[in-house]
Amino acid sequence: QVQLVESGGGLVQPGGSLRLSCAASGITFSRYAMMWYRQAPGKQRDLVASITSFGTTTYTDSVKGRFTISRDNAKNTVYLQMGSLKPEDTAVYYCHARFGLNYWGQGTQVTVSS
């Protein structure tokens, strides 16, 4: 049974930082490309960052220089370090695993507000 469990979301003030984690089980984690998506209320789910099995990373333009995606294959975990947070970063953040098949986590809420 495949599980992706996100954690680390919460309420943070503008300019603050958060680190999201996504722990995977039931898959050969090192083979999977891992992504973070986010979905704000009333909007579509958008790709935020990705990391391949080789460690190559990509970011959507709006988070470049502020967010960093990383992975620890020994811990079957992918991270999203978020800095200089803005109110427009408020969304539910989802972890996604892709290697032929696709798997999603349940999401974690990030709210950026003063």
Side-chain angles (χ1 to χ4, degrees):
Q1 173 183 354
V2 177
Q3 282 193 308
L4 300 177
V5 180
E6 299 102 332
S7 61
L11 174 64
V12 62
Q13 292 188 342
S17 299
L18 281 176
R19 188 176 81 155
L20 305 183
S21 300
C22 171
S25 60
I27 60 173
T28 305
F29 180 79
S30 61
R31 294 183 180 180
Y32 280 72
M34 300 299 298
M35 296 91 177
W36 286 97
Y37 283 75
R38 66 186 179 187
Q39 187 168 21
K43 295 189 176 181
Q44 66 181 21
R45 190 175 297 187
D46 291 326
L47 178 64
V48 175
S50 66
I51 184 166
T52 69
S53 58
F54 300 104
T56 302
T57 58
T58 62
Y59 300 91
T60 192
D61 285 346
S62 63
V63 308
K64 284 180 180 176
R66 301 190 298 121
F67 291 10
T68 302
I69 188 171
S70 61
R71 66 190 297 159
D72 185 337
N73 289 341
K75 295 183 178 180
N76 288 358
T77 300
V78 62
Y79 304 97
L80 186 67
Q81 180 68 48
M82 305 186 294
S84 301
L85 283 162
K86 306 175 181 179
E88 51 263 43
D89 294 317
T90 296
V92 178
Y93 284 71
Y94 295 92
C95 176
H96 179 60
R98 183 182 303 166
F99 180 62
L101 299 176
N102 292 274
Y103 301 102
W104 291 92
Q106 82 288 351
T108 186
Q109 177 70 46
V110 172
T111 302
V112 184
S113 175
S114 55

